[in-house]
């Protein structure tokens, strides 16, 4: 790691079948992030967005006792969140409700995210997620026995889509040894105006700075492992057209700004671990025995 960070992140046209070249693998190892344009078609993005909106249609905000925010500790002690690892649940933005307690906008424009097992439960999300090209990427990055541990649909709605502060995903998806890889799909164009991601390249080669885990049944805590602040002045924007896939190391620090624009910024993420690594029982994200961890193979 140096103080002279690149001003652009490694970005390539998506290789056929996920067959990363040695240059792509090298860039990923160096920077902790790899942007692959046109990885999926716009039609595939639109199909997933349409399915997400159908699921939202069936969601009643009155049932939700939770909002999700990485700047707010409230959700950390919330069973609705903690129990969502093998379900499809909905998390509203902090500013979802107006002063009178009503939603400010349509449901999809008040939601922060949906998670965390659409890829196993919903047939449309299942098909999108179990993609042989993702298996190929994972294999070329050295994970020989991947398991898709979670999926998230990120709404980042216009005007109230919240900021996500700088973090590492391995803080939440910890394995021993660390093996988390993030796959982030732009389903709509992500820009610096509507809250695209930023990465601090190369910092994944440093340590994991925090670890989040369960304290008993329904409490979570975050233990700070390294108090050195992130060099956020070295962050680099990752704008992404719809269909782009961003692959990143679980230790790659990243963040996104608030969406202050008039357009939404829908994205879909998968997190993958290596099943040969130990997955601790104290990780917040757990699934029941009736929903075993799967790799990228389609259902038989
Ligand atoms: Fe993240």
């Amino acid at each position: 790691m140096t103080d002279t960070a690149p001003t652009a992140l490694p970005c390539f046209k998506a290789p056929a079948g996920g067959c990363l070249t040695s240059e792509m693998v090298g860039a990923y190892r160096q920077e902790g992030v790899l942007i692959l344009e046109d990885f999926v078609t716009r039609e595939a993005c639109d199909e997933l967005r349409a399915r997400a909106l159908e699921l939202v249609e069936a969601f009643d905000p009155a049932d939700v006792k939770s909002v999700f925010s990485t700047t707010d500790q409230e959700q950390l002690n919330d069973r609705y969140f903690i129990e969502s690892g093998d379900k499809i649940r909905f998390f509203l933005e902090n500013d979802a409700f107006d002063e009178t307690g009503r939603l400010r906008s349509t449901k999809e424009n008040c939601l922060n995210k949906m998670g965390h097992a659409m890829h196993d439960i919903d047939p449309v999300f299942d098909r999108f997620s179990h993609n042989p090209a993702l298996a190929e990427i994972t294999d070329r990055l050295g994970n020989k026995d991947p398991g898709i541990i979670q999926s998230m649909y990120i709404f980042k709605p216009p005007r109230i889509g919240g900021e996500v502060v700088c973090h590492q995903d391995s803080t939440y998806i910890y394995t021993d040894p660390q093996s988390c890889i993030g796959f982030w799909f732009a389903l709509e164009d992500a820009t610096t105006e509507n809250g695209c991601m930023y990465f601090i390249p190369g910092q994944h080669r440093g340590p994991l700075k925090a670890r989040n885990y369960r304290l008993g049944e329904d409490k979570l805590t975050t233990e700070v492992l390294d108090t050195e602040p992130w060099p956020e002045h070295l962050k680099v924007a990752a704008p992404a057209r719809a269909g782009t896939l961003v692959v990143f190391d679980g230790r790659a620090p990243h963040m996104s700004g608030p969406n202050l624009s008039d357009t939404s910024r829908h994205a879909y993420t998968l997190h993958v671990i290596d099943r040969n690594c130990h997955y601790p029982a104290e990780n917040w994200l757990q699934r029941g025995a009736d929903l075993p961890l799967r790799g990228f193979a389609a259902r038989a």
Side-chain angles (χ1 to χ4, degrees), residues 14 36-45 128 131 185-187 242-245:
L36 301 173
E37 294 186 319
D38 299 318
F39 185 86
V40 289
T41 63
R42 295 226 167 209
E43 291 70 33
C45 294
F128 185 97
N131 177 345
F185 298 87
L187 302 178
T244 299
L245 168 65

Side-chain angles (χ1 to χ4, degrees), residues 247-267:
V247 187
F248 57 101
D249 188 287
R251 278 208 311 276
H254 59 283
M255 66 214 87
S256 65
N259 183 358
L260 304 176
S261 80
D262 290 333
T263 61
S264 59
R265 194 224 69 182
H266 288 198

Side-chain angles (χ1 to χ4, degrees), residues 60-80:
D60 182 354
D63 295 341
V64 173
K65 306 164 194 71
S66 178
V67 293
F68 181 85
S69 167
T70 62
T71 57
D72 182 345
Q73 294 298 299
E74 190 180 334
Q75 56 94 6
L76 293 179
N77 297 326
D78 191 317
R79 291 189 80 101
Y80 183 82

Side-chain angles (χ1 to χ4, degrees), residues 62 79 83 99 104 150 157 165 209 217 239 254 282 296-297:
R79 291 189 80 101
E83 294 170 353
E99 306 72 32
R104 287 183 191 278
Q150 79 165 6
V165 299
K209 286 187 185 287
E217 277 285 288
H254 59 283
E282 62 268 28
F296 286 107

